[in-house]
């Protein structure tokens, strides 16, 4: 996947698409809490996301049914890889060191991380 970063507002919208899988504009607007964004704002975001090739749509009469073209896991995998590359010289160990030192994790959380890593090593 070529890098197509989502803005914070696009991520909110993309989360709706990932959760619902297929939605019409009215469905999207229903998911937002008050104050809801204008339909024109949502339409602009959808167009930008189409231009990034992250979503698609099918037309039914005058309505469009939108759907994600990229899986959530794939998008965030690419984002994490890009962040590790940019900020930690592509070193996962530098990232892990920074994360565990700065995230203020409890002993229980650190043990959970260790258990996850141990499981990956033995699988």
């Amino acid at each position: 996947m070529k890098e197509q970063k989502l803005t914070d507002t696009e991520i909110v919208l993309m989360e709706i698409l990932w959760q619902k899988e297929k939605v019409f504009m009215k469905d999207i607007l229903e998911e937002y809490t008050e104050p809801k964004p204008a339909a024109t704002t949502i339409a602009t975001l959808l167009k930008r996301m189409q231009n990034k090739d992250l979503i698609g749509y099918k037309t039914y009469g005058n309505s469009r049914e939108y759907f994600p073209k990229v899986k959530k896991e794939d998008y965030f995998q690419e984002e994490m890889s890009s962040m590790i590359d940019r900020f930690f010289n592509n070193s996962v160990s530098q990232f892990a060191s920074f994360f565990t030192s700065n995230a203020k994790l409890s002993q229980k959380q650190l043990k959970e991380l260790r258990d996850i890593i141990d499981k990956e090593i033995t699988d």
Side-chain angles (χ1 to χ4, degrees):
M1 175 175 82
K2 67 179 179 180
E3 187 173 343
Q4 297 290 350
K5 275 186 76 69
L6 291 168
T7 65
D8 290 346
T9 53
E10 290 170 343
I11 288 175
V12 171
L13 180 51
M14 197 68 184
E15 287 286 354
I16 294 168
L17 288 160
W18 281 322
Q19 179 186 15
K20 301 290 184 182
E21 296 179 6
K22 296 179 181 178
V23 291
F24 291 94
M25 177 67 80
K26 66 176 182 57
D27 303 317
I28 294 169
L29 287 168
E30 287 174 5
E31 291 297 314
Y32 279 89
T33 57
E34 295 293 338
K36 295 181 185 290
T40 54
T41 301
I42 299 296
T44 299
L45 292 172
L46 289 167
K47 182 66 177 163
R48 286 191 337 213
M49 292 161 62
Q50 288 169 43
N51 291 340
K52 294 178 181 183
D53 202 30
L54 295 171
I55 67 168
Y57 65 87
K58 289 184 182 176
T59 304
Y60 298 95
N62 292 335
S63 297
R64 289 181 175 178
E65 181 183 49
Y66 296 93
F67 57 90
K69 292 175 78 174
V70 62
K71 293 178 185 172
K72 182 177 183 177
E73 297 79 19
D74 294 342
Y75 178 79
F76 284 105
Q77 169 81 35
E78 183 68 27
E79 281 293 295
M80 285 300 300
S81 294
S82 176
M83 183 192 69
I84 290 169
D85 184 39
R86 285 192 322 263
F87 296 111
F88 301 99
N89 299 317
N90 207 25
S91 169
V92 175
S93 58
Q94 283 183 20
F95 167 72
S97 176
F98 175 84
F99 177 74
T100 55
S101 298
N102 293 287
K104 296 183 175 50
L105 300 174
S106 68
Q107 288 296 316
K108 180 182 178 201
Q109 291 169 320
L110 287 168
K111 183 180 179 325
E112 289 171 355
L113 278 175
R114 184 177 61 203
D115 291 346
I116 291 168
I117 292 168
D118 287 344
K119 183 180 182 303
E120 287 296 316
I121 290 171
T122 58
D123 284 350

